[in-house]
């Protein structure tokens, strides 16, 4: 960005770097679904023209976020999944990589054992998650940026919730839910239980709050309070990063941890933390 790169370029490269890292649940290192397969998804949005792109049900695209950008810039659509998305990646010669890591295979075995071991009557995955939170750290990746031209962008990428049903789509590729960017307000990317982010259209809510004058930090905390108030299910983990049009940074979560960091002009390296502001209160 210092060399004049756009917000869209920077969120895509930041997310692509995390997809390649192997530590996160995105790209290489994605979680496995109940059938021991990977189905990745990603989205990207820019705030000037409100262009957006997303891809889902991807099995071996090295960088799902790059495919999301291709959907945004080179198709008439916003969201393409499965075979069609794979075909688009083939046309554009996107790199492939087997996303399955030994660590995820080990987690899969542990999670499956917890699901079936001695408790065959578990009615919902949420109960399992509540009993074994250590097995379900979510680790989706996201980035938000504001560039020299005053444009914002956001991107999010994930392997999805561990042990999800095949075909399940979470919040990460859904515009307004996992990702939102609008030059009238700012940008936001979400992590946590996708079904909750979808029902609260949480990234758009954060942007609407910023449009109404809240800072990125205030808007993020407000949205987590909304989760705590409206979602009373056993497992309501949620985390948000946001950026307002004044360059204000927001990060808040109700989970025990959320790794995050930022860099601003003049800083030689980013600052990063394992936790941001933990919000346990309700509205
Ligand atoms: N939000 C993601 C999903 O539900 C999970 C995550 O944040 O790690 O697919």
């Amino acid at each position: 960005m210092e060399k004049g790169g756009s917000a869209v370029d920077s969120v895509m490269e930041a997310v692509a770097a995390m997809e390649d890292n192997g530590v996160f649940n995105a790209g290489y290192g994605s979680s496995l679904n109940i059938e021991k397969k990977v189905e990745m998804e990603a989205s990207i949005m820019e705030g000037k023209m409100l262009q957006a792109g997303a891809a889902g049900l991807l099995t071996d695209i090295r960088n799902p976020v790059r495919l999301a950008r291709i959907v945004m810039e080179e198709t008439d659509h916003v969201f393409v999944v499965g075979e069609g998305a794979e075909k688009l990646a083939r046309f554009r010669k996107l790199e492939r990589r087997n996303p399955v890591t030994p660590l995820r295979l080990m987690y899969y075995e542990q999670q499956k054992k917890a699901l079936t071991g001695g408790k065959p009557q578990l009615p919902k995955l949420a109960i399992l998650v509540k009993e074994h939170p250590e097995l379900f750290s979510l680790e989706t990746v996201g980035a938000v940026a504001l560039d020299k031209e005053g444009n914002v962008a956001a991107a999010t990428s994930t392997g999805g919730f561990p042990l999800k049903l095949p075909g399940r789509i979470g919040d990460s590729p859904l515009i307004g839910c996992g990702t939102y960017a609008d030059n009238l307000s700012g940008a936001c990317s979400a992590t946590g239980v996708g079904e909750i982010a979808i029902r609260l259209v949480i990234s758009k809510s954060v942007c609407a709050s910023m449009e109404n004058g809240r800072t990125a930090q205030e808007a993020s905390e407000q949205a987590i309070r909304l989760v705590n108030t409206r979602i009373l299910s056993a497992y309501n983990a949620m985390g948000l990063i946001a950026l307002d049009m004044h360059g204000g940074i927001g990060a808040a979560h109700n989970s025990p941890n959320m790794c995050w960091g930022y860099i601003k002009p003049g800083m030689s390296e980013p600052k990063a933390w394992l936790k941001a502001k933990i919000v346990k209160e309700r509205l």
Side-chain angles (χ1 to χ4, degrees), residues 138-140 160-161 168 171-172 191-192 194:
L138 296 175
E139 299 159 348
T140 285
F161 210 93
R168 177 264 192 187
D171 61 313
S172 306
T191 179

PDB file of all heavy atoms in Angstrom, residues 138-140 160-161 168 171-172 191-192 194, ligand 1:
ATOM      1  N   LEU A 138     -11.847 -21.560  15.750  1.00  0.00           N
ATOM      2  CA  LEU A 138     -12.373 -21.437  14.380  1.00  0.00           C
ATOM      3  C   LEU A 138     -11.336 -20.981  13.348  1.00  0.00           C
ATOM      4  O   LEU A 138     -11.247 -21.526  12.285  1.00  0.00           O
ATOM      5  CB  LEU A 138     -13.608 -20.536  14.397  1.00  0.00           C
ATOM      6  CG  LEU A 138     -14.744 -21.165  15.216  1.00  0.00           C
ATOM      7  CD1 LEU A 138     -15.915 -20.219  15.343  1.00  0.00           C
ATOM      8  CD2 LEU A 138     -15.198 -22.478  14.603  1.00  0.00           C
ATOM      9  N   GLU A 139     -10.582 -19.953  13.632  1.00  0.00           N
ATOM     10  CA  GLU A 139      -9.394 -19.628  12.824  1.00  0.00           C
ATOM     11  C   GLU A 139      -9.612 -19.216  11.373  1.00  0.00           C
ATOM     12  O   GLU A 139      -8.744 -19.367  10.532  1.00  0.00           O
ATOM     13  CB  GLU A 139      -8.390 -20.792  12.870  1.00  0.00           C
ATOM     14  CG  GLU A 139      -7.905 -21.075  14.266  1.00  0.00           C
ATOM     15  CD  GLU A 139      -7.333 -22.481  14.416  1.00  0.00           C
ATOM     16  OE1 GLU A 139      -7.509 -23.317  13.524  1.00  0.00           O
ATOM     17  OE2 GLU A 139      -6.712 -22.724  15.441  1.00  0.00           O
ATOM     18  N   THR A 140     -10.790 -18.729  11.073  1.00  0.00           N
ATOM     19  CA  THR A 140     -11.019 -18.083   9.771  1.00  0.00           C
ATOM     20  C   THR A 140     -10.115 -16.856   9.668  1.00  0.00           C
ATOM     21  O   THR A 140      -9.751 -16.283  10.685  1.00  0.00           O
ATOM     22  CB  THR A 140     -12.504 -17.665   9.684  1.00  0.00           C
ATOM     23  OG1 THR A 140     -13.270 -18.830   9.451  1.00  0.00           O
ATOM     24  CG2 THR A 140     -12.778 -16.657   8.583  1.00  0.00           C
ATOM     25  N   GLY A 160     -14.361 -23.194   6.882  1.00  0.00           N
ATOM     26  CA  GLY A 160     -15.683 -23.392   7.481  1.00  0.00           C
ATOM     27  C   GLY A 160     -15.606 -24.092   8.816  1.00  0.00           C
ATOM     28  O   GLY A 160     -14.531 -24.414   9.318  1.00  0.00           O
ATOM     29  N   PHE A 161     -16.765 -24.322   9.377  1.00  0.00           N
ATOM     30  CA  PHE A 161     -16.858 -24.925  10.702  1.00  0.00           C
ATOM     31  C   PHE A 161     -16.430 -26.398  10.642  1.00  0.00           C
ATOM     32  O   PHE A 161     -16.874 -27.129   9.768  1.00  0.00           O
ATOM     33  CB  PHE A 161     -18.323 -24.832  11.168  1.00  0.00           C
ATOM     34  CG  PHE A 161     -18.446 -24.728  12.649  1.00  0.00           C
ATOM     35  CD1 PHE A 161     -18.519 -23.489  13.258  1.00  0.00           C
ATOM     36  CD2 PHE A 161     -18.458 -25.866  13.430  1.00  0.00           C
ATOM     37  CE1 PHE A 161     -18.611 -23.393  14.629  1.00  0.00           C
ATOM     38  CE2 PHE A 161     -18.547 -25.773  14.795  1.00  0.00           C
ATOM     39  CZ  PHE A 161     -18.625 -24.537  15.404  1.00  0.00           C
ATOM     40  N   ARG A 168     -22.586 -27.227   3.262  1.00  0.00           N
ATOM     41  CA  ARG A 168     -22.913 -26.103   4.154  1.00  0.00           C
ATOM     42  C   ARG A 168     -22.108 -24.861   3.753  1.00  0.00           C
ATOM     43  O   ARG A 168     -20.923 -24.930   3.529  1.00  0.00           O
ATOM     44  CB  ARG A 168     -22.591 -26.497   5.599  1.00  0.00           C
ATOM     45  CG  ARG A 168     -22.810 -25.380   6.636  1.00  0.00           C
ATOM     46  CD  ARG A 168     -21.537 -24.636   6.945  1.00  0.00           C
ATOM     47  NE  ARG A 168     -21.664 -23.768   8.117  1.00  0.00           N
ATOM     48  CZ  ARG A 168     -20.723 -22.910   8.508  1.00  0.00           C
ATOM     49  NH1 ARG A 168     -19.602 -22.814   7.837  1.00  0.00           N
ATOM     50  NH2 ARG A 168     -20.893 -22.171   9.573  1.00  0.00           N
ATOM     51  N   ASP A 171     -20.894 -17.902   6.855  1.00  0.00           N
ATOM     52  CA  ASP A 171     -21.003 -16.450   6.656  1.00  0.00           C
ATOM     53  C   ASP A 171     -19.879 -15.881   5.795  1.00  0.00           C
ATOM     54  O   ASP A 171     -20.045 -14.838   5.153  1.00  0.00           O
ATOM     55  CB  ASP A 171     -20.965 -15.746   8.018  1.00  0.00           C
ATOM     56  CG  ASP A 171     -19.653 -16.028   8.759  1.00  0.00           C
ATOM     57  OD1 ASP A 171     -19.245 -17.205   8.808  1.00  0.00           O
ATOM     58  OD2 ASP A 171     -19.031 -15.086   9.279  1.00  0.00           O
ATOM     59  N   SER A 172     -18.725 -16.558   5.800  1.00  0.00           N
ATOM     60  CA  SER A 172     -17.517 -15.940   5.219  1.00  0.00           C
ATOM     61  C   SER A 172     -17.674 -15.514   3.763  1.00  0.00           C
ATOM     62  O   SER A 172     -17.175 -14.454   3.387  1.00  0.00           O
ATOM     63  CB  SER A 172     -16.314 -16.874   5.394  1.00  0.00           C
ATOM     64  OG  SER A 172     -16.185 -17.227   6.742  1.00  0.00           O
ATOM     65  N   THR A 191     -15.469 -13.392  12.116  1.00  0.00           N
ATOM     66  CA  THR A 191     -15.164 -14.800  12.357  1.00  0.00           C
ATOM     67  C   THR A 191     -16.069 -15.271  13.495  1.00  0.00           C
ATOM     68  O   THR A 191     -16.593 -14.461  14.246  1.00  0.00           O
ATOM     69  CB  THR A 191     -13.675 -15.011  12.713  1.00  0.00           C
ATOM     70  OG1 THR A 191     -13.460 -16.408  12.969  1.00  0.00           O
ATOM     71  CG2 THR A 191     -13.258 -14.225  13.944  1.00  0.00           C
ATOM     72  N   GLY A 192     -16.259 -16.573  13.587  1.00  0.00           N
ATOM     73  CA  GLY A 192     -17.140 -17.109  14.627  1.00  0.00           C
ATOM     74  C   GLY A 192     -18.164 -18.040  14.016  1.00  0.00           C
ATOM     75  O   GLY A 192     -17.998 -18.487  12.876  1.00  0.00           O
ATOM     76  N   GLY A 194     -20.760 -19.148  11.906  1.00  0.00           N
ATOM     77  CA  GLY A 194     -21.292 -18.530  10.696  1.00  0.00           C
ATOM     78  C   GLY A 194     -22.791 -18.339  10.722  1.00  0.00           C
ATOM     79  O   GLY A 194     -23.314 -17.323  10.253  1.00  0.00           O
TER      80      GLY A 194
HETATM   81  N1  LIG B   1     -17.239 -18.152  10.337  1.00  0.00           N
HETATM   82  C1  LIG B   1     -16.711 -19.418   9.905  1.00  0.00           C
HETATM   83  C2  LIG B   1     -17.842 -20.315   9.499  1.00  0.00           C
HETATM   84  O1  LIG B   1     -18.827 -20.397  10.215  1.00  0.00           O
HETATM   85  C3  LIG B   1     -15.918 -20.106  10.947  1.00  0.00           C
HETATM   86  C4  LIG B   1     -14.769 -19.286  11.476  1.00  0.00           C
HETATM   87  O2  LIG B   1     -14.916 -18.107  11.732  1.00  0.00           O
HETATM   88  O3  LIG B   1     -13.697 -19.851  11.665  1.00  0.00           O
HETATM   89  O4  LIG B   1     -17.719 -20.985   8.514  1.00  0.00           O
END
